[in-house]
Amino acid sequence: MPAKKPPGSKRSTKCEWLRRVGLVESWGGYLYLSADRERTGVERRSMHGLKLKGALTDPVAGVSAFELTVCSDPRACASSGDVPAIGSWLKAKPVLNGLVMLAEREFDLVLALAVGGKLASISVSFQKPHYGHGLITRVDFSSEVLGE
């Protein structure tokens, strides 16, 4: 009879957590609008956000360039999966490309920093990307260069 595995949490060896600081070099804004016919009538949808571009001070798997899209969503909340997350990395090469959803007030504060020319750096805690994807659990936006 094969030996039983000891009870406890099953932890993947692929689940490594990282924290990186990124220097914001540029940013751009966007506004997305659409209209769709639903059962209840015509529905208008909009989404606005910022795309922050820069370089990480310590590369992840040889990649230091990042593009982080920050969107405003009035329903923004942490995911309720095994790992609470506020966003995710969608692609890891040639640029670490991610998405974070912020509540409207949070988004307005980040926008004010960017428009005022004061958004200097971000600090991101996340799952090490596996096949280009990884959850983002924390992000800090700062007018100062953050330390590791």
Side-chain angles (χ1 to χ4, degrees):
M1 177 159 37
K4 289 186 176 181
K5 292 182 181 178
S9 65
K10 295 179 183 178
R11 186 154 233 149
S12 170
T13 57
K14 298 175 187 170
C15 190
E16 185 180 340
W17 294 94
L18 304 173
R19 181 174 177 262
R20 294 292 189 269
V21 170
L23 304 178
V24 177
E25 297 168 354
S26 66
W27 65 275
Y30 71 89
L31 173 64
Y32 166 80
L33 298 166
S34 70
D36 293 314
R37 187 170 306 279
E38 303 287 332
R39 280 190 215 163
T40 58
V42 176
E43 184 174 333
R44 182 179 192 268
R45 296 185 184 128
S46 69
M47 181 180 282
H48 56 279
L50 298 172
K51 182 167 279 203
L52 308 176
K53 295 181 181 184
L56 301 174
T57 57
D58 187 19
V60 175
V63 177
S64 60
F66 74 86
E67 290 182 6
L68 183 64
T69 301
V70 181
C71 296
S72 173
D73 185 351
R75 304 171 313 248
C77 62
S79 68
S80 59
D82 292 341
V83 176
I86 58 167
S88 63
W89 294 114
L90 308 172
K91 190 171 96 172
K93 291 192 179 185
V95 172
L96 198 57
N97 193 324
L99 172 69
V100 173
M101 301 298 282
L102 301 179
E104 289 184 35
R105 173 119 173 96
E106 297 163 343
F107 178 82
D108 290 344
L109 291 169
V110 174
L111 179 61
L113 283 172
V115 169
K118 299 292 186 183
L119 184 57
S121 67
I122 63 170
S123 174
V124 186
S125 294
F126 56 95
Q127 241 176 358
K128 183 176 182 181
H130 184 67
Y131 291 111
H133 303 278
L135 297 175
I136 298 173
T137 58
R138 192 193 87 205
V139 63
D140 300 325
F141 302 93
S142 180
S143 60
E144 300 174 356
V145 176
L146 297 168
E148 284 287 330

